[in-house]
Amino acid sequence: MKKFLIVFLLFSSVAFAQNLNGYKYAMVPAKFTFFKEENMYNLNLLTKMYLQKYGFETYYNNETAPDEFVISNCNKIFIDVLENNNLFTTKLKVIVKDCKGNVLATSDEGTSREKEYAVSYNLALRMALDNFGILKSHKYQPSEKSLGMIGEPLRKEIAQSQMFSKQYNVIATENGYNLITVDADYKIFQIFKTTSNEIFIANRDSIFGVLIKKTDNWFFEYYDGSVLKSELIKVTF
């Protein structure tokens, strides 16, 4: 009986992961319910960047998106974050739902005891996302129906963003690095370490965003109003 239960659980786990692999898109709220402002502490942007890293084409719920994303709610997963803080600890869980509101997956709780809210919320959310195995193992596998549309022009990410290429020199700091452009047309670009070696909190001229690694290249991604901008950063750590 015990052996049967183990086999059943393993089969269920594989089937569940394959179920998420059927989703190409993810929707992230522009504002989490426990905050009054959009993208508070850059948590929504951080969530979006992680989902993109895990292979989902991701949009905010108030963002202009392609027709394929908008035309059906059931071609995407819906992401939410739940707060369960106490006096000394920030505690966050990431929830994945389908178009009918069914919970498909829940992350382990990410926690932080940092006193500064911006740091504590970021660390707790990163912990939850870094350890969310079902999302990390996502590999989109289109259905036969979607394969029939493969001849249609593919939307490129650059169509929704602007990309620039700059070469940077690197100076190590206690919490990350300072990047300085070779041609000196930018001020110092500060980046700060996170629990992931492929994601940094980034600040350039009071523009906050993330520095994220995609297929061996680094990109500085941030919002200019409602426009997502993506800059190719030529840097080696």
Side-chain angles (χ1 to χ4, degrees), residues 5-227:
L5 180 59
I6 293 173
V7 172
F8 174 76
L9 290 175
L10 288 173
F11 176 80
S12 299
S13 177
V14 172
F16 191 70
Q18 289 176 340
N19 185 42
L20 285 187
N21 288 344
Y23 291 98
K24 178 180 180 180
Y25 298 106
M27 179 180 285
V28 173
K31 180 180 74 69
F32 293 128
T33 55
F34 48 88
F35 286 132
K36 294 182 179 179
E37 299 179 16
E38 291 187 2
N39 197 31
M40 191 74 172
Y41 304 136
N42 278 325
L43 297 185
N44 303 77
L45 177 59
L46 177 64
T47 304
K48 184 177 181 181
M49 294 299 101
Y50 263 90
L51 267 293
Q52 290 176 341
K53 176 184 175 183
Y54 293 156
F56 293 92
E57 192 171 327
T58 310
Y59 298 91
Y60 290 132
N61 60 329
N62 62 354
E63 183 179 4
T64 301
D67 292 341
E68 186 182 350
F69 179 87
V70 176
I71 199 169
S72 172
N73 274 334
C74 292
N75 63 358
K76 64 181 75 72
I77 58 171
F78 296 79
I79 306 299
D80 200 4
V81 174
L82 300 183
E83 179 189 54
N84 185 33
N85 298 349
N86 60 32
L87 185 60
F88 301 106
T89 309
T90 300
K91 301 179 180 181
L92 300 176
K93 283 186 177 182
V94 180
I95 308 296
V96 179
K97 296 181 180 180
D98 65 13
C99 61
K100 298 180 180 179
N102 299 314
V103 175
L104 300 178
T106 302
S107 73
D108 291 335
E109 196 167 62
T111 63
S112 174
R113 296 177 66 87
E114 291 287 337
K115 294 181 180 180
E116 186 178 345
Y117 285 147
V119 175
S120 184
Y121 274 98
N122 266 272
L123 290 177
L125 182 56
R126 290 175 190 277
M127 181 186 292
L129 288 165
D130 278 332
N131 298 313
F132 206 168
I134 291 175
L135 286 184
K136 291 176 70 174
S137 63
H138 168 260
K139 293 182 179 179
Y140 175 55
Q141 298 174 351
S143 64
E144 291 183 4
K145 181 178 179 181
S146 60
L147 283 173
M149 301 169 63
I150 200 69
E152 296 183 4
L154 297 177
R155 187 192 69 85
K156 295 182 179 179
E157 182 176 300
I158 193 171
Q160 295 293 326
S161 63
Q162 295 182 12
M163 183 182 293
F164 303 91
S165 176
K166 293 290 180 183
Q167 178 70 50
Y168 284 85
N169 292 326
V170 179
I171 299 176
T173 63
E174 182 179 357
N175 299 315
Y177 303 92
N178 286 337
L179 310 183
I180 304 177
T181 48
V182 176
D183 52 9
D185 61 343
Y186 281 126
K187 295 181 181 179
I188 293 177
F189 189 169
Q190 298 174 304
I191 63 173
F192 303 92
K193 296 177 182 177
T194 70
T195 54
S196 171
N197 293 329
E198 297 184 343
I199 299 178
F200 291 85
I201 299 171
N203 173 26
R204 190 188 67 207
D205 297 338
S206 297
I207 299 174
F208 289 91
V210 294
L211 187 69
I212 184 169
K213 190 175 184 180
K214 299 180 181 180
T215 60
D216 296 327
N217 290 313
W218 289 95
F219 295 85
F220 176 44
E221 299 197 345
Y222 60 95
Y223 272 89
D224 183 4
S226 60
V227 179

